[in-house]
């Protein structure tokens, strides 16, 4: 055998792929960063065909992808959803579905019962009664359809979890929502909430962005939600900080952007679901997933910040791992890749003050002894 191994293992180029099947949605939620009208004919015309999606799914499987996520918009609006779902499952991929459950039908649940997704469906919940839910969804009758869909999933024992966005119409319902969520067989932890809301990632509506901004939790409100279980929060964050907090210099991409990515409804391959800056998006009509992952995205990941304010603050701040400042957030907020996002900065500093990483009125980029600060937090929350 000449000393050569019988088998040579190769690391897959792609382990998971996110797919936005459509930006269209049957809800028009007041906080949504992506939705387009359900029956917008121009949007429908631009969306990828069934055959093109099948080609992309085949490419993903050939690159080693074992899982994918169908999201939107509302992915069940696609008339070919069942066909694409089965195509992906036959390729051996586990499927995660993000949905509002309003279009869950007996036929869909029978499909899931016959060919299980192999990952829990994630259902977004916008209220516990017709008044609150329909006010968020801006769609009369939405709550009734959502509950019918959820009841179908429960009846056929299709595993799913629920999550929510806390907004003015439903903020007072968190306890009721969590009590109900606790009755769902697939829920093994407290449901997740969106409160630090994202702006329109296509930067297509200044008016909608102003509305979304007005709906965000303040940093203090967000902190109060995060720290309801003080001990669990402290332990989780101490472990997180030990792994991820440190100044990161002028390198823009310190996350997993570009290692998997997201294909949008029109065939644009994005480094992550939120990042639509044209310099970081690859048009699959003129290339392949492999080319993007092996040639284009690695070059993008080498990008460096040049904004003086970013270099003065973010590049030197040891809270960078805690802060949601990233190229995607900068793009949606400012149309650049390296402009500091003040809201993200405020949220990170509120958490850092709570944990004891910062003193009053101190900024993360001003701290020189950050390693000692982190060690003290680790000792406080993790020792004994």
């Amino acid at each position: 055998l000449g000393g050569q191994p019988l088998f040579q293992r190769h690391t897959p180029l792609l382990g998971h792929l996110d797919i936005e099947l459509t930006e269209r949605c049957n809800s028009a939620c007041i906080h949504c960063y992506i939705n387009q009208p359900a029956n917008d004919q121009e949007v429908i015309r631009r969306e990828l065909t069934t055959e093109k999606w099948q080609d992309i799914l085949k490419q993903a499987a050939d690159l080693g992808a074992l899982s994918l996520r169908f999201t939107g918009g509302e992915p069940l609006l696609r008339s070919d959803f069942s066909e694409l779902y089965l195509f992906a499952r036959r390729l051996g991929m586990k499927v995660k579905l993000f949905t509002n459950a309003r279009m869950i039908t007996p036929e869909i649940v029978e499909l899931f019962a016959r060919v299980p997704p192999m990952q829990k469906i994630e259902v977004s919940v916008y209220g516990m009664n017709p008044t609150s839910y329909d006010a968020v969804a801006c769609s009369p009758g939405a709550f009734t359809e959502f509950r019918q869909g959820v009841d179908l999933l429960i009846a056929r024992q299709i595993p799913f979890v629920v999550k929510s966005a806390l907004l003015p119409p439903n903020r007072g319902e968190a306890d009721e929502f969590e009590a109900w969520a606790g009755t769902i067989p697939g829920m093994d932890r407290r449901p997740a909430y969106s409160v630090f809301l994202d702006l329109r990632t296509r930067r297509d509506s200044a008016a909608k962005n102003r509305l979304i901004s007005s709906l965000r939790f303040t940093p203090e409100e967000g902190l109060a939600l995060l720290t309801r279980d003080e001990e669990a929060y402290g332990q989780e964050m101490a472990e997180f900080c030990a792994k991820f907090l440190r100044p990161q210099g002028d390198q823009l991409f310190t996350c997993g952007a570009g290692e998997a990515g997201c294909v949008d409804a029109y065939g644009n391959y994005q480094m992550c679901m939120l990042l639509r800056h044209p310099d970081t998006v690859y048009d699959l009509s003129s290339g392949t997933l492999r080319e993007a992952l092996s040639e284009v995205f690695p070059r993008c990941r080498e990008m460096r910040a040049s904004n003086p304010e970013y270099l003065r603050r973010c590049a030197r701040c040891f809270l960078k791992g805690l802060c949601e400042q990233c190229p995607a957030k900068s793009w949606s907020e400012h149309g650049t890749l390296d402009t500091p996002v003040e809201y993200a900065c405020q949220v990170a500093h509120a958490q850092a003050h709570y944990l004891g990483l910062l003193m009053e009125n101190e900024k993360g980029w001003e701290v020189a002894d950050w390693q000692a600060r982190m060690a003290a937090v680790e000792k406080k929350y993790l020792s004994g």
Side-chain angles (χ1 to χ4, degrees):
L1 296 177
Q4 296 296 321
L6 286 173
F7 300 99
Q8 186 174 4
R9 295 181 179 180
H10 297 279
T11 301
L13 190 58
L14 181 66
H16 172 85
L17 184 64
D18 286 331
I19 286 178
E20 288 176 350
L21 277 181
T22 180
E23 292 185 321
R24 295 175 293 118
C25 191
N26 52 345
S27 296
C29 293
I30 55 177
H31 66 292
C32 189
Y33 68 80
I34 188 174
N35 62 304
Q36 299 292 342
N39 296 313
D40 189 314
Q41 294 303 305
E42 175 59 21
V43 173
I44 293 172
R45 184 190 64 78
R46 293 174 53 218
E47 289 177 356
L48 294 184
T49 64
T50 304
E51 293 72 24
K52 183 59 180 176
W53 275 125
Q54 289 174 334
D55 177 61
I56 290 171
L57 291 171
K58 182 65 166 59
Q59 289 183 49
D62 289 344
L63 294 176
L66 297 176
S67 65
L68 65 88
R69 172 167 49 183
F70 283 133
T71 184
E74 173 49 60
L76 295 179
L77 273 172
R78 288 277 306 207
S79 60
D80 57 358
F81 172 82
S82 295
E83 184 177 354
L84 294 175
Y85 171 81
L86 285 172
F87 191 86
R89 291 294 290 116
R90 289 178 181 132
L91 289 171
M93 289 188 281
K94 300 176 181 179
V95 174
K96 177 173 286 188
L97 171 65
F98 279 14
T99 179
N100 59 31
R102 291 179 56 194
M103 299 186 70
I104 297 288
T105 63
E107 293 74 21
I108 288 290
V109 294
E110 288 304 317
L111 172 64
F112 292 154
R114 188 175 76 253
V115 184
M118 305 305 291
Q119 293 193 349
K120 292 178 181 179
I121 295 168
E122 294 196 14
V123 176
S124 297
V125 181
Y126 299 120
M128 294 306 297
N129 59 70
T131 300
S132 57
Y133 191 108
D134 293 3
V136 171
C138 298
S139 178
F143 176 79
T144 299
E145 293 176 349
F146 145 72
R147 284 308 301 256
Q148 289 172 345
V150 164
D151 289 344
L152 285 169
L153 293 172
I154 293 172
R156 291 298 280 124
Q157 300 181 344
I158 308 299
F160 72 99
V161 298
V162 293
K163 56 191 178 182
S164 186
L166 290 182
L167 300 157
N170 66 22
R171 275 200 188 189
E173 300 174 356
D175 290 343
E176 182 184 358
F177 169 61
E178 291 190 13
W180 172 72
T183 68
I184 296 171
M187 292 294 295
D188 55 4
R189 65 187 64 188
R190 178 176 274 172
Y193 294 102
S194 294
V195 296
F196 306 122
L197 306 172
D198 294 310
L199 302 187
R200 299 285 291 187
T201 55
R202 292 201 180 278
R203 299 181 54 78
D204 56 359
S205 174
K208 186 65 181 287
N209 279 347
R210 287 191 294 271
L211 172 60
I212 295 171
S213 294
S214 73
L215 299 172
R216 286 169 162 170
F217 270 38
T218 67
E220 294 73 25
E221 289 171 333
L223 182 64
L225 179 69
L226 293 171
T227 59
R228 287 178 297 167
D229 186 335
E230 296 183 40
E231 182 177 356
Y233 173 79
Q235 291 177 352
E236 179 182 348
M237 293 309 299
E239 293 174 356
F240 178 89
C241 292
K243 292 180 180 178
F244 298 110
L245 260 62
R246 58 188 53 83
Q248 296 173 354
D250 64 351
Q251 185 176 354
L252 283 175
F253 292 98
T254 56
C255 58
E259 296 175 1
C262 173
V263 182
D264 79 358
Y266 319 109
N268 299 302
Y269 194 14
Q270 303 166 184
M271 294 179 69
C272 78
M273 194 175 295
L274 298 178
L275 182 56
R276 305 179 195 271
H277 190 290
D279 291 347
T280 65
V281 173
Y282 186 69
D283 184 355
L284 290 175
S285 67
S286 58
T288 64
L289 294 178
R290 180 182 295 275
E291 290 167 349
L293 289 165
S294 61
E295 301 173 22
V296 179
F297 289 170
R299 290 198 299 269
C300 291
R301 287 186 59 84
E302 294 302 315
M303 290 180 174
R304 294 293 190 268
S306 60
N307 184 311
E309 191 65 6
Y310 184 101
L311 297 176
R312 182 182 74 86
R313 293 169 46 176
C314 307
R316 298 166 53 206
C317 183
F318 81 103
L319 303 178
K320 187 65 165 59
L322 179 63
C323 182
E324 289 195 357
Q325 167 74 42
C326 70
K329 303 287 185 178
S330 182
W331 162 251
S332 61
E333 300 265 344
H334 301 293
T336 70
L337 294 173
D338 63 352
T339 302
V341 176
E342 195 62 36
Y343 179 64
C345 183
Q346 293 170 0
V347 171
H349 276 71
Q351 293 184 74
H353 282 293
Y354 177 88
L355 292 168
L357 290 167
L358 295 176
M359 294 181 286
E360 188 174 358
N361 297 322
E362 192 174 36
K363 300 299 184 182
W365 56 87
E366 299 171 340
V367 175
D369 64 336
W370 55 272
Q371 290 169 307
R373 307 268 185 109
M374 287 170 48
V377 168
E378 188 173 357
K379 181 179 180 180
K380 175 182 177 181
Y381 288 105
L382 299 180
S383 62

